[in-house]
């Protein structure tokens, strides 16, 4: 087995597979290590059974068990299990200044700079705006509620070709309709000579004469070492800092910012109970994202909202009326009265200061994500227009568990962020880890802040940008 490569990449999601293809196209010898297995259309199941899901996702909680986080854990990473919503970040996102007065995005990154990279990603993944025929009844109803309040809502963008609207995007698409990285970047990278080793978990990274040594455990649990002139870490916002922190003894000049600045893309989940007299929306049907998104609150509140469909299993653990219990007989009667005809779930996203932390607890990654005053203020500020929206429609705003409106669980960002100021960013604007030339981050951990919308397109465009830099400079 080959042990020396021009580039070793850890993780095969958006941040990993995209540079893999671009570096191979530039003639580099590339290895990708992916801890998950290969899952294709014939392996996926249409179920929300946690036993099945835990084969294809990493599911973990915050250290106080208040919030849980999901991320992809298969070849193709999150692209295989995501709901597919791929809108570009609004330009203002890149100007965000946090509560410390720090402009978190480096000056080298703006919407204008990313646009050609967004173009590449959209072309590669066949991303296009959904038609109204592809919007579920839930999405249509959400758009109607917005319209009733004099506000706009439009169809979102997806990498789907001939979607059957079966409602199991996040369990893996059995029809092979979702254009995950398994349909484009990964096969093209394989054709260009990239070696993907699956079931291989990177354990630590250490400097070597040729660049860096990466040690990983393979499917048979043996420890193997490979060399890379360049090493790119793209294991996601919880697991990229895990790897760096575990390697700290070999990388003593690592910034103390690694693992800090964790944020959840400003995600807040809420529900709407529709008034009587409307047609049933069959809220479990259609794409997992209800295919609509509103920017109507962007100017005044700095948020966007996507509506989603709601499988019964998720509904039962997540949503209840304010002031009422989320379990027990009364809850059961109420749930039967609203599900699936009268329930919309939705997710708010917007720039927030990253105050969470990923750290190692007995060598296992842990996430601290408390409801700080800043987050509570953000929650109370951005839920206000939703209260007005539900009131205007004679609907009821439903709370989720935990913090009232539970923090979103799928959009983790910021733990190895790029930036202009070395004091606040472990990586330079091109993803290179400070003090370690040739060691890069190119995934969601490198994005310094919320993307204002679902993050994957921006993770992907930024990975294209970082790949360009590496091809030109290494
Ligand atoms: C259920 C769900 C729905 C989502 N829906 C949307 C959506 O509609 N739109 C959107 O924009 N975003 C969505 N997201 C978020 C999106 O998937 C992520 O933002 C995106 O995948 C992040 O890309 P990444 O490259 O940083 O990490 P990932 O795509 O998570 O890839 C990281 C990869 O690294 C691997 N890995 C981790 N540690 C190691 C290690 N030590 N060694 C080897 N391999 C390792 C993992 O197994 C994984 O495959 C969703 C996420 C989930 C979980």
């Amino acid at each position: 087995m080959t042990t020396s490569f021009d580039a070793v990449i850890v993780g095969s999601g958006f941040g990993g597979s995209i540079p893999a293809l671009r570096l191979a196209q530039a003639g580099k010898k590339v290895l990708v290590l992916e801890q998950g297995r290969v899952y294709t259309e014939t392996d996926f199941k249409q179920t929300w059974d946690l036993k099945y899901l835990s084969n294809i996702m990493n599911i973990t909680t915050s250290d106080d068990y208040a919030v849980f986080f999901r991320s992809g854990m298969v070849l193709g990473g999150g692209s295989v299990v995501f709901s597919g919503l791929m809108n570009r970040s609004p330009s203002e996102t890149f100007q965000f200044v946090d509560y410390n007065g720090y402009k978190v995005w480096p000056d080298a990154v703006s919407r204008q700079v990313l646009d050609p990279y967004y173009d590449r990603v959209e072309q590669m993944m066949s991303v296009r705006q959904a038609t109204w025929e592809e919007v579920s009844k839930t999405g249509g109803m959400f758009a109607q509620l917005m319209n009733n309040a004099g506000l706009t809502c439009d169809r979102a963008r997806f990498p789907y070709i001939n979607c059957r609207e079966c409602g199991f995007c996040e369990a893996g698409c059995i029809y092979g309709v979702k254009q995950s990285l398994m349909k484009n970047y990964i096969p093209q990278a394989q054709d260009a000579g990239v070696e993907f080793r699956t079931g291989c978990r990177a354990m630590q990274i250490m400097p070597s004469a040729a660049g860096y040594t990466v040690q990983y455990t393979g499917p048979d649990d043996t420890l193997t070492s490979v060399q890379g002139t360049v090493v790119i870490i793209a294991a996601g916002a919880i697991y990229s800092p895990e790897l760096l922190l575990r390697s700290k003894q070999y990388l003593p000049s690592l910034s103390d910012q690694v693992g800090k600045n964790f944020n959840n893309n400003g995600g807040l989940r809420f529900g709407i109970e529709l008034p009587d007299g409307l047609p049933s929306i069959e809220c479990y049907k259609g794409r997992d994202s209800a295919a609509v998104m509103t920017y109507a609150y962007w100017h005044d509140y700095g948020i966007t909202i996507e509506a989603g469909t709601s499988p019964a299993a998720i509904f039962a653990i997540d949503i209840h009326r304010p002031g009422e219990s989320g379990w027990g007989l009364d809850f059961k009667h109420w749930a039967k009265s609203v599900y699936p005809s009268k329930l919309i779930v939705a997710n708010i996203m917007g720039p927030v200061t990253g105050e969470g932390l990923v750290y190692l607890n007995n060598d296992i990654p842990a996430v601290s994500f408390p409801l700080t005053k800043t987050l509570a203020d953000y929650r109370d500020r951005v839920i206000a227009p939703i209260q007005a929206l539900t009131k205007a429609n004679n609907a009821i705003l439903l709370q989720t568990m935990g913090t009232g409106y539970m923090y979103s669980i799928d959009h983790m960002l910021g733990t190895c962020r790029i930036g202009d100021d070395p004091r606040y960013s472990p990586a330079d604007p091109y993803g290179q880890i400070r003090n370690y030339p040739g060691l890069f981050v190119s995934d969601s951990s490198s994005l310094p802040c919320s993307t204002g919308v679902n993050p994957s397109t921006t993770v992907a465009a930024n990975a294209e940008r970082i790949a360009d830099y590496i091809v030109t400079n290494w």
Side-chain angles (χ1 to χ4, degrees):
M1 211 187 297
T2 316
T3 55
S4 289
F5 296 85
D6 295 319
V8 175
I9 300 178
V10 178
S12 65
F14 294 95
S17 291
I18 291 175
L21 171 63
R22 299 306 177 204
L23 268 65
Q25 286 173 331
K28 307 286 185 196
K29 198 164 114 191
V30 181
L31 171 70
V32 176
L33 298 172
E34 167 55 53
Q35 68 175 358
R37 305 300 169 104
V38 181
Y39 268 75
T40 61
E41 283 86 294
T42 49
D43 305 310
F44 296 129
K45 292 190 179 138
Q46 293 200 327
T47 172
W48 300 116
D49 181 354
L50 273 181
K51 217 164 140 189
Y52 161 71
L53 292 178
S54 58
N55 293 318
I56 58 173
M57 287 183 200
N58 255 314
I59 304 175
T60 185
T61 68
S62 55
D63 55 8
D64 60 0
Y65 306 109
V67 186
F68 69 94
F69 309 104
R70 301 183 301 176
S71 56
M73 191 185 53
V74 281
L75 186 63
S79 78
V80 174
V81 299
F82 81 151
S83 324
L85 202 158
M86 292 188 74
N87 279 22
R88 299 183 184 197
S89 288
S91 353
E92 296 85 357
T93 312
F94 301 97
Q95 302 306 320
F96 179 68
V97 175
D98 72 11
Y99 70 53
N100 298 310
Y102 177 57
K103 177 178 168 287
V104 292
W105 286 90
D107 289 342
V109 188
S110 64
R111 169 65 186 263
Q112 210 180 1
V113 167
L114 284 187
D115 267 338
Y117 298 111
Y118 281 126
D119 288 345
R120 274 193 209 171
V121 171
E122 292 183 350
Q123 191 266 329
M124 285 288 292
M125 297 184 73
S126 310
V127 178
R128 65 168 174 81
Q129 188 178 30
T131 63
W132 278 111
E133 285 68 36
E134 292 168 317
V135 171
S136 64
K137 288 184 185 175
T138 306
M141 183 61 78
F142 184 76
Q144 183 66 54
L145 300 183
M146 294 293 294
N147 190 49
N148 294 346
L151 298 163
T152 55
C153 184
D154 207 349
R155 299 146 294 146
R157 297 172 67 76
F158 293 85
Y160 292 178
I161 299 174
N162 297 328
C163 177
R164 315 285 166 92
E165 316 293 341
C166 69
F168 284 96
C169 313
E170 295 181 357
C173 180
I174 65 165
Y175 302 110
V177 156
K178 178 161 72 177
Q179 302 302 297
S180 74
L181 299 169
M182 292 291 280
K183 301 279 177 192
N184 35 69
Y185 282 95
I186 289 176
Q188 288 189 36
Q190 283 167 327
D191 288 349
V194 176
E195 185 183 346
F196 287 85
R197 291 187 193 162
T198 54
C200 293
R201 180 166 179 244
M203 299 304 290
Q204 47 202 11
I205 299 171
M206 47 203 85
S208 67
Y212 297 89
T213 301
V214 181
Q215 287 190 329
Y216 69 89
T217 50
D220 56 1
D221 269 350
T222 52
L223 198 62
T224 306
S225 293
V226 284
Q227 305 288 325
T229 312
V230 163
V231 168
I232 303 174
I233 306 173
I238 296 179
Y239 307 102
S240 287
E242 174 203 4
L243 185 55
L244 281 168
L245 291 171
R246 189 175 297 115
S247 309
K248 187 137 189 182
Q249 58 183 309
Y250 307 109
L251 304 171
S253 304
L254 209 56
S255 159
D256 68 359
Q257 293 282 303
V258 171
K260 292 183 180 165
N261 310 304
F262 176 93
N263 78 83
N264 71 330
N265 205 25
L268 288 177
R269 208 164 280 231
F270 63 92
I272 297 175
E273 179 182 334
L274 296 171
D276 292 333
L278 295 173
S280 168
I281 56 168
E282 299 170 313
C283 68
Y284 59 90
K285 285 191 181 168
R287 302 176 184 187
D288 289 352
S289 160
V292 292
M293 169 153 261
T294 178
Y295 294 83
Y297 302 114
W298 181 250
H299 185 261
D300 290 341
Y301 294 91
I303 54 166
T304 63
I305 303 173
E306 64 157 335
T309 50
S310 181
I314 304 291
F315 164 70
I317 55 164
D318 211 16
I319 303 269
H320 60 98
R321 272 185 168 169
E324 293 184 11
S325 168
W327 55 282
L329 198 57
D330 287 346
F331 170 76
K332 198 169 141 190
H333 289 315
W334 170 76
K336 274 177 83 172
S337 75
V338 295
Y339 192 90
S341 56
K342 295 169 61 177
L343 180 88
I344 299 178
V345 290
N347 191 31
I348 297 174
M349 294 159 284
V352 287
T353 298
E355 295 179 292
L357 174 72
V358 172
Y359 61 99
L360 290 184
N361 183 5
N362 288 325
D363 214 31
I364 293 171
V367 186
S368 165
F369 192 58
L371 179 64
T372 57
K373 179 167 183 326
T374 331
L375 280 177
D377 288 350
Y378 166 80
R379 176 195 63 188
D380 296 343
R381 186 173 60 79
V382 301
I383 209 70
I386 316 304
Q387 282 161 338
L389 173 73
T390 44
K391 199 168 164 207
N393 281 285
N394 293 320
I396 297 171
L397 176 60
L398 302 174
Q399 280 181 246
T400 62
M401 284 168 65
T403 55
Y405 301 95
M406 194 170 90
Y407 289 103
S408 173
I409 49 181
D410 304 329
H411 301 170
M412 295 81 79
L413 303 166
T415 46
C416 302
R417 63 185 184 180
I418 54 174
D420 284 330
D421 191 330
R423 287 174 300 168
Y424 305 123
S425 53
D428 75 12
Y430 296 93
Q432 193 156 215
I433 299 286
R434 296 184 194 282
N435 305 320
Y436 293 99
L439 183 59
F440 288 85
V441 277
S442 57
D443 61 351
S444 46
S445 74
S446 74
L447 296 200
C449 175
S450 321
T451 50
V453 293
N454 311 56
S456 62
T457 327
T458 304
V459 176
N462 190 51
E464 286 274 14
R465 183 185 71 89
I466 289 174
D468 254 11
Y469 177 85
I470 297 172
V471 166
T472 311
N473 293 282
W474 282 85

